[in-house]
Every structure is written in structure tokens, then in C-alpha cells.
Amino acid sequence: MRSDEMKQGYVRAPNRSLLRALGITDDEMKMPFIGIANSWNTVVPGHINLRQVAERVREGVAAGGGVPFEFNTIGICDGIAMGHEGMRYSLPSRETIADSVELMIEAHRFDGLVCICTCDKIVPGMLMAAARCNIPAIVVTGGPMLSGKCSGKELSLVDVFEGVGRVAAGTMNEKDLIALEKCAMPGCGSCQGLYTANTMACITEALGMSLPRCAATPAVHAEKLAIARMSGERVVGLVREGVTPRDVITKESMRNAIRVDMALGGSTNTVLHLMAIAEEADVPLTLNDFNEIGAAVPHICYMQPSGPHSMETLYYAGGIPAVMHELAPLLEDALTVSGVRIAEFAATTPAGDSAIIRPLSDPVHATGGLKIVRGTLAPDGAVIKAAGVRGEMWRHTGPARVFDSEIAAMEAILSGKIVEGDVMVIRYEGPAGAPGMPEMLSPTSAIMGRGLNRVVLITDGRFSGGTRGPCIGHVATEAAVGGPIALVEEGDSITIDLFENRIDLDVSSDVLELRKKTLIIPKKNLSGVLSRYAAAVCQADRGAVMKK
């Protein structure tokens, strides 16, 4: 065992003395030491139940014959950070979480790892750490929040965001918006729809790194505690079997995770995070894989925000096991932390509710929920949630409305300066330029709230999983390093074509070369974390990982 490095032999008497100060017994000194990374805090609604989840994990570790050691990581709530300076710190926190788990695991020579996490950057950060450290590991995601209810209608956080646009448009008053905000989010758990947090939980289960049913089980259900208990016990089994994350996170399992993502119509952020996880696991993965898989896998679950179904509804329909059962003919065989291989699992799992998890022969859309688009505006690629785009907007040409910040764009939307047909360009919001690649849920929700169904939004920043409509993000190369998006001028014609996976700036190369000669890229006065991040981050097409 790795932990023997710090507890075996007479030279380790000082180390053992410190362990005894924790109450470790002679018998426990002989057992596997299991690190439990918990992102519990009282800031994030998705995390406030994780202390109770951790108690059950510790019980499971002890029952399995291991010794649990719990430590914490940070966790940022993207919803609370949204729409202001705080959102620049969200994506950088992913790297801090991965680094902090690595530091604790390697310094204390743990034999195994349980990652207890929820929400947008925390789940991928911990998966990155698990792949990097490559000791036996299992992930327990904290579970989705129950739906809010008002006048018989299911509500989620996006209803509140879109309510801001309705107030600006005069179709809702502030009193009704306050009433909405008070009933939309009823308690603990990750936001109710298939936004980034829940998409990452689903992908983690599909990847084989969580036990079955973990992703969709609501945060308040007893089954979540049972899964936590079983996960704690199972990680000790993984240690004894010598099964590590890189045995589970393989090319085949990554492709399966993308298939489930496409079938669900998940968040665009998953492209960023899967690329980062693949890099840590040394799995070859490119943006082309997403389009190849998306062309072959239909969109079969119409989830919020694009469709009507919440995660709670998916749970009762059978959850991710039922989704994988439906996808069985398309999946590649791979190992899971449960010990059951994907082929056997998908074949033997009962079918789910076909009204929610539709058959492959009768999908919501014939192709997957995400698309990678390229062209003269995004030569290295960009991402769009095609499942959230109305058919009439799959091909569109319109005049560019150019903004050098999210704040400026938001002001234009709320003041009525954006009209149907416009193509909004929000730039200098990329990984290095923002820095931190902030999410644009506030402007996209304001557009929807104002009833603008034929406005395209293009950015080198990101979108929340709550975004719907013709919104293209992760434009690479970003404006701050001289990408073509920096050369767009007000009124330029821009064409998107989702049938051909194209995004083009309809300006001649000669004109763009002249613009490039006079381009002045704005510089920001940065310090602290953002300064270091901006200097070291890669472009979005590489998952915005740190340069090595």
C-alpha cells in the first residue's frame, strides 16, 4: 500500500505518532488509508448536504476495512457569481480544486480517494485530480435540487434569470419577479435542469466513475445516502483490486460519456471539461470526436432548459442507467468503478419511461445535442447546444453587434438596442482575455426574457448550462490573442450554418489583413489568481487547461 511509505518501519515512528494523535489504532495502521475530498460549504446550495453525505461515505470506508481521512476543497456557486466580476473566478477554481486534491493525496500518500462534489467546476476539478494522481478513486455527486413550484408549474433558476428580461421588456413586474425568486429554489442540491452541474454528474456516471443512479438521485432522497455508503465501501475494494482511474477513464469510456451527453442535450461546458479530463488521463480526444459522435447519437431526452424535463423527472424515469440501456447498441465496452462492465450493465438494466427517455427510433432530434462549428470566425472551433436552437435558426445571416464586454452587451439588451436578426458578438471574455472565460447566462436569459427568438449570440467566453437559443461559445482563437473575433466590426455580416457546422465572418481576407495591422488589443490591470491564470491558460479548444 502507498500509505506504508509513511507508517511502516521504525524510521516512521514520528509519522505514526502524529497519526496516533488522530486516534488511529494499531489495527487501523494496517488498513488502507482513504482520502475523502469534500467540497462542502455553506455558500453553495448544491453543497450544503455534503457533510451528511460524507458521514455515510466514512461509514462505508470503515465497513469496507479502510480508514477514512476527510479534507475540504473550495467550491464556487456559478449562479451567485453570475453577471458580475465574480464570474471571472469560476473556471480558474477548477484548476485550484484539482491542485488542492493532488496536494493532499500526494503529501499524505493515501491509498484511495473518494470525491464528494457537486456543481460546475468542482466535479471536473476532482475528476482531473483523480486522473492525475491515478490512485483508486470513486466520485459521489451530491444530487439535484427538487423543482420549485408555483401555480402548478415546475420552476428552476433559469426561470428567474429569464424573468429579468421579462421585467425589462415590460411583460412582468418586479413584484412578480420577487415572488418567482422566492419559490424557484426550494432547498439543497444542484440547480434542477440539465445545466452544467447535473450534466457533469451524468457524465461522471456514464464515464464509469460513479456508482449507478448516483447522478440523478435528488440531494434530499435517502437513496443518495445509500449510494454514499456503498461508494465508501466500494473504494476499499478498488484499492484491493488495484483498479485506478486511468483503468476506467479510457478512450472508450470518454466516448461513451460524450454519447450520453449528446443523448441528453447537455451543457456546452462539458466539451471544455471533458477535454481537460482527457488531458489529465492521457486520453487522446479532440473536438472532432464530439461531431463524429454527435452525428451518430440522437438526442433522446428533452431536458431543461431547452425542453420540459427536470433532473427529478429523469430520476423517476430510470436515470442514467436507463439512458445507457437505450444507448446500448451504440456504446463501447469499458470498465466501471462498480466492477460491472458497461456492455453487461447497459444490457441488463431495465428500460426506463419511454415518454422521458425516448427510443432511438423516435428521438427528439436525429443528431446529438451539441455541435462543434468552425469557419473564418472560429478557425479552431466553437461550441453550440444545437438541441436548444429552433429549426428556423439553424441557418442565419445577420449584422454584427459588437461588444467588448458582457456588461456592455447586457446594457444594450435591457435598453432595447438589440433587435431580431442581430448577431451579437461579445469578445475579450475568453480564457486569457477575461480572464477566466465567464459564463453569459445573464445576457442569454435577458434575450429570451425579452422574447427575441432570432438573435444570435457569439462569444469567446462560455455559456451556462442554463442557456438556450442560438448561442455559440468557446470561440477559438479568442480575441485577446488576436483571433478573428477581434477583427469583427459593427455591421459586418456573420453567417451561422448548423447543417454544415459553419460559423463565418463574411468579410474578405484582404480587409481582415488590413484590420489586423491596426488592431489594438486592450490590456487589463490584473493581479493575484487572475494574473497567474491569464499568463498560463491554454485556449478553449484544449479545454482551457494550464500550460505545461
Side-chain angles (χ1 to χ4, degrees):
M1 293 187 296
R2 273 182 22 131
S3 59
D4 288 346
E5 296 175 32
M6 66 172 180
K7 63 184 182 182
Q8 290 295 313
Y10 74 91
V11 295
R12 293 293 175 242
N15 309 63
R16 289 195 299 274
S17 184
L18 288 165
L19 290 168
R20 292 183 192 283
L22 300 173
I24 301 301
T25 67
D26 285 344
D27 285 342
E28 287 177 321
M29 288 289 185
K30 303 170 188 175
M31 298 176 181
F33 280 12
I34 308 298
I36 301 173
N38 188 357
S39 61
W40 171 85
N41 61 53
T42 60
V43 181
V44 186
H47 293 190
I48 56 176
N49 66 318
L50 297 187
R51 177 178 280 178
Q52 189 177 16
V53 170
E55 289 173 0
R56 293 294 283 157
V57 169
R58 289 199 303 270
E59 291 171 13
V61 169
V67 185
F69 295 86
E70 187 180 352
F71 59 91
N72 280 97
T73 72
I74 62 168
I76 289 174
C77 177
D78 280 18
I80 296 174
M82 192 74 66
H84 54 81
E85 194 67 19
M87 181 41 65
R88 304 190 190 285
Y89 291 84
S90 175
L91 186 58
S93 75
R94 185 188 72 181
E95 315 308 311
T96 299
I97 290 161
D99 290 348
S100 65
V101 174
E102 178 193 3
L103 289 167
M104 290 296 288
I105 290 298
E106 297 299 351
H108 299 106
R109 313 311 293 159
F110 291 127
D111 300 300
L113 169 66
V114 181
C115 298
I116 304 175
C117 47
T118 308
C119 299
D120 301 26
K121 302 313 143 320
I122 299 90
V123 176
M126 289 200 182
L127 281 168
M128 289 164 66
R132 187 187 300 173
C133 297
N134 202 36
I135 64 171
I138 196 166
V139 179
V140 183
T141 49
M145 187 185 297
L146 299 181
S147 295
K149 296 286 195 304
C150 185
S151 302
K153 180 188 175 185
E154 282 194 344
L155 299 173
S156 75
L157 182 62
V158 169
D159 292 290
V160 187
F161 269 100
E162 293 188 2
V164 174
R166 293 190 182 98
V167 171
T171 57
M172 175 184 277
N173 61 49
E174 288 192 51
K175 181 180 178 182
D176 288 341
L177 179 59
I178 291 171
L180 180 63
E181 81 177 54
K182 287 182 177 179
C183 61
M185 310 294 282
C188 70
S190 48
C191 299
Q192 302 98 326
L194 193 70
Y195 314 141
T196 306
N198 288 324
T199 309
M200 282 308 306
C202 294
I203 279 178
T204 301
E205 186 176 328
L207 198 58
M209 286 298 293
S210 288
L211 291 184
R213 294 182 62 81
C214 186
T217 301
V220 297
H221 279 219
E223 187 178 358
K224 178 59 66 179
L225 299 179
I227 290 170
R229 167 65 169 71
M230 291 186 290
S231 297
E233 187 166 355
R234 178 58 189 149
V235 77
V236 183
L238 292 172
V239 171
R240 292 185 172 131
E241 294 163 18
V243 176
T244 67
R246 294 194 190 188
D247 295 322
V248 176
I249 304 173
T250 62
K251 180 71 171 179
E252 292 76 18
S253 69
M254 289 292 282
R255 288 170 63 87
N256 285 339
I258 296 171
R259 289 182 177 99
V260 169
D261 196 6
M262 292 293 178
L264 293 172
S267 166
T268 52
N269 282 316
T270 56
V271 177
L272 206 66
H273 298 322
L274 283 171
M275 295 291 290
I277 294 163
E279 181 136 340
E280 295 288 359
D282 285 334
V283 171
L285 190 71
T286 70
L287 293 182
N288 292 333
D289 288 302
F290 289 85
N291 272 352
E292 176 200 332
I293 293 170
V297 177
H299 175 210
I300 60 173
C301 297
Y302 212 11
M303 303 291 293
Q304 296 174 353
S306 304
H309 303 311
S310 66
M311 285 297 293
E312 186 180 354
T313 301
L314 180 64
Y315 168 72
Y316 285 112
I320 297 306
V323 173
M324 297 185 78
H325 173 85
E326 189 57 41
L327 294 177
L330 304 176
L331 298 175
E332 298 174 63
D333 197 20
L335 184 64
T336 74
V337 291
S338 70
V340 180
R341 297 188 69 86
I342 285 293
E344 178 186 352
F345 174 74
T348 57
T349 296
D353 183 348
S354 61
I356 311 301
I357 304 168
R358 294 169 66 162
L360 294 177
S361 59
D362 182 31
V364 181
H365 297 106
T367 56
L370 298 176
K371 278 182 174 285
I372 306 300
V373 295
R374 299 179 190 271
T376 57
L377 190 55
D380 293 326
V383 185
I384 185 169
K385 186 191 288 189
V389 182
R390 294 161 56 163
E392 67 199 54
M393 290 300 293
W394 272 50
R395 186 178 287 118
H396 178 79
T397 298
R401 303 297 309 281
V402 183
F403 303 92
D404 287 348
S405 71
E406 177 191 1
I407 293 173
M410 190 67 175
E411 289 173 353
I413 297 165
L414 295 180
S415 62
K417 295 177 182 176
I418 301 300
V419 299
E420 294 284 32
D422 282 348
V423 179
M424 296 186 68
V425 175
I426 306 177
R427 62 191 180 192
Y428 298 109
E429 297 287 14
M437 210 179 177
E439 293 179 346
M440 304 289 163
L441 182 57
S442 293
T444 61
S445 296
I447 289 169
M448 290 292 107
R450 289 191 68 91
L452 298 170
N453 295 312
R454 297 185 61 255
V455 170
V456 177
L457 197 157
I458 299 168
T459 181
D460 50 10
R462 298 182 295 127
F463 296 118
S464 162
T467 291
R468 61 190 177 100
C471 302
I472 299 174
H474 307 194
V475 169
T477 309
E478 65 174 299
V481 295
I485 192 172
L487 305 176
V488 182
E489 293 186 358
E490 189 80 7
D492 283 349
S493 176
I494 293 176
T495 297
I496 67 165
D497 188 336
L498 301 189
F499 297 102
E500 299 295 331
N501 299 333
R502 295 287 305 181
I503 177 172
D504 290 300
L505 175 58
D506 302 325
V507 175
S508 72
S509 57
D510 291 342
V511 171
L512 293 180
E513 282 300 319
L514 289 174
R515 291 181 186 178
K516 192 178 295 185
K517 291 176 182 177
T518 58
L519 176 64
I520 299 175
I521 296 174
K523 299 297 180 183
K524 295 182 179 177
N525 185 20
L526 301 173
S527 62
V529 170
L530 293 185
S531 175
R532 297 193 296 274
Y533 184 82
V537 70
C538 294
Q539 289 294 288
D541 61 307
R542 286 193 53 199
V545 295
M546 307 306 282
K547 296 171 185 173
K548 295 182 180 179

